[in-house]
Amino acid sequence: MTTRTLLKRLEWTEMRKDGAYLYGSKIDFYDDYVVFDNERLASGKPIVSFVSRTNYQGNRFSPQLPLLEPGKSYELVADLETSPANRYYLELDFFNRQNEGISSQVLRVGQHQFTCPDDTFTYQITVRSAGCHRLQFRNLALYQEQEEVVEREQIASYQKEDLPEELDIIRGLIGLE
C-alpha cells in the first residue's frame, strides 16, 4: 500500500527575475491565486518556474522547492485552470553538482508521478503553456510517495528438538512428530 506525505505547497507569491514570462503578460495577484493573461503566448513558453537552488546574493530570493531524495517516488498535483481548458504541462528539470542537465521529465495533464533521478543535486519545476492564453494558478502540491511496510508479529517457531516439555501435548497438532 502506498501513502503520500505533503512536502511542500508551492504558491506563486511574487514577481522575480527569470521566474515568470513577462513579455506582453498581465499578472494579477489575489489573496489565494494568481491570474496570468497573455493573448499572444506561444505554446511551450514557460509561464512560471520554481527552483531548488538559488544565488541569494545575486537574486535576493530563497529556493522555493524542498530537497528530493534520488531514487524516491514523488507526486506533483497542480491546482490551476487554463483557458482553453487543460492547455498546460509541467516540466521537471534535474541537474547534477556541476549544474549539467541530467534528466527532463514532462508531466501532462492527468500525469503526476515521477522518480527523482540518481545524481540529482538540484531541480526546477516549470509550468508551460500548451496553447493557453489565460492561467489561474492556485498552487502546486509536492508529495513524497512511500510504501507502507507492514510489520508482522514475530511468531515463535520451534525445531523438533527445541520444543519445550510444556508443549508435548500439542506436538502432533503442530506437525513435529
Side-chain angles (χ1 to χ4, degrees):
M1 182 175 191
T2 303
T3 61
R4 63 183 198 169
T5 306
L6 178 66
L7 291 179
K8 179 87 177 197
R9 192 168 307 277
L10 305 168
E11 296 177 348
W12 188 358
T13 57
E14 63 185 5
M15 295 301 305
R16 59 179 173 75
K17 179 180 152 187
D18 299 331
Y21 189 82
L22 302 177
Y23 304 105
S25 301
K26 179 182 176 199
I27 303 172
D28 295 315
F29 288 85
Y30 296 97
D31 289 338
D32 56 349
Y33 64 95
V34 176
V35 175
F36 172 92
D37 273 308
N38 188 331
E39 291 292 329
R40 292 176 178 78
L41 183 66
S43 289
K45 290 292 183 186
I47 297 173
V48 62
S49 296
F50 301 93
V51 295
S52 67
R53 183 177 181 198
T54 63
N55 174 358
Y56 185 80
Q57 229 173 354
N59 299 325
R60 296 288 187 238
F61 73 94
S62 298
Q64 303 106 323
L65 298 173
L67 297 176
L68 299 182
E69 294 180 55
K72 299 284 183 173
S73 295
Y74 297 90
E75 182 175 8
L76 188 60
V77 178
D79 186 4
L80 53 91
E81 296 172 12
T82 63
S83 180
N86 297 325
R87 294 291 189 94
Y88 74 92
Y89 61 93
L90 304 172
E91 182 179 45
L92 287 88
D93 296 305
F94 299 92
F95 305 92
N96 62 14
R97 289 186 181 272
Q98 290 76 33
N99 206 30
E100 299 166 337
I102 57 172
S103 178
S104 185
Q105 297 180 23
V106 173
L107 303 179
R108 305 214 187 279
V109 177
Q111 292 180 324
H112 305 289
Q113 284 81 17
F114 67 95
T115 301
C116 182
D118 292 337
D119 298 330
T120 297
F121 186 66
T122 64
Y123 68 106
Q124 175 176 319
I125 298 173
T126 305
V127 178
R128 290 189 177 267
S129 169
C132 70
H133 59 82
R134 185 171 204 267
L135 169 83
Q136 184 174 342
F137 183 95
R138 287 181 199 82
N139 62 58
L140 296 176
L142 182 61
Y143 296 92
Q144 182 173 13
E145 295 184 339
Q146 298 170 332
E147 287 292 322
E148 257 186 45
V149 178
V150 179
E151 292 187 27
R152 298 171 68 181
E153 286 186 33
Q154 200 68 354
I155 299 173
S157 64
Y158 296 102
Q159 299 299 325
K160 190 173 190 175
E161 59 276 357
D162 295 335
L163 190 66
E165 286 181 24
E166 300 88 42
L167 297 180
D168 275 343
I169 200 164
I170 60 165
R171 185 179 295 270
L173 295 173
I174 58 175
L176 291 179
E177 288 199 48

